[in-house]
Amino acid sequence: MLSDVGKRPVSLILAFLLILIGIGITFSEVAVDAFHDVAGQVAASGGTRTEVIVANVVALVVLTGLQVVLSTLVFKGFNWARVLLLAVTSVTLVTRLAGAIVRVPGSMDIVQMSVDVLIVYALTSLSARTWTHDRRTLRRELRRKRRDAKALGA
């Protein structure tokens, strides 16, 4: 199974789906938190209510876009994207855990931390590591063959 590069492992499919679920949870959680605490954010930043809401939305869209792009690249077999996504997810998990130590975690915090742990588990599985490594090797061989073909044809 692992020697066949065309077979995408279940762990990568699950990681991709878990990331999408995590994005949905994050959107709902941040939207609720951001709009309930707009007054505090306005006072802290010195901006207007509209500026604070726009800044929150822009930050959320940028971070979500990064996660979607990385998860898509992992789904396609890019090992560097898998490693970077692992780093981003691990930092997010540690940040949430630190926040849970300082204050009582809400139910959404616990759900998001659970999803993050499952994402890390799925992306570090042997099948995910092997498959992305094999895809990288296959891409390198194809590039080398194209270069050789151009050199012979030129």
Side-chain angles (χ1 to χ4, degrees):
M1 177 177 143
L2 292 178
S3 63
D4 185 5
V5 178
K7 296 260 187 195
R8 184 172 284 112
V10 174
S11 60
L12 281 180
I13 296 169
L14 288 175
F16 184 74
L17 293 175
L18 286 168
I19 289 166
L20 295 179
I21 290 169
I23 288 170
I25 292 169
T26 301
F27 258 106
S28 63
E29 183 182 23
V30 168
V32 168
D33 287 348
F35 294 113
H36 283 300
D37 192 32
V38 169
Q41 292 176 7
V42 168
S45 69
T48 65
R49 180 181 172 91
T50 305
E51 290 172 345
V52 170
I53 291 174
V54 168
N56 284 337
V57 169
V58 168
L60 184 62
V61 168
V62 168
L63 293 174
T64 301
L66 177 68
Q67 277 189 317
V68 168
V69 168
L70 287 176
S71 61
T72 302
L73 290 172
V74 169
F75 192 73
K76 290 183 176 185
F78 289 87
N79 192 47
W80 64 267
R82 182 185 69 83
V83 172
L84 188 57
L85 193 56
L86 272 168
V88 168
T89 305
S90 299
V91 168
T92 303
L93 182 58
V94 169
T95 304
R96 285 185 183 276
L97 190 58
I101 291 171
V102 173
R103 61 176 169 73
V104 177
S107 60
M108 293 306 279
D109 288 331
I110 294 171
V111 170
Q112 184 64 45
M113 284 190 282
S114 301
V115 169
D116 287 346
V117 167
L118 290 172
I119 291 169
V120 170
Y121 182 70
L123 291 176
T124 56
S125 69
L126 177 62
S127 60
R129 286 181 286 154
T130 303
W131 190 76
T132 55
H133 176 71
D134 289 348
R135 296 284 295 179
R136 179 179 63 194
T137 304
L138 180 64
R139 279 192 301 275
R140 285 181 180 169
E141 288 175 12
L142 289 174
R143 275 193 302 255
R144 184 182 50 76
K145 286 180 183 178
R146 282 192 299 252
R147 267 194 313 261
D148 292 346
K150 277 186 179 179
L152 291 175

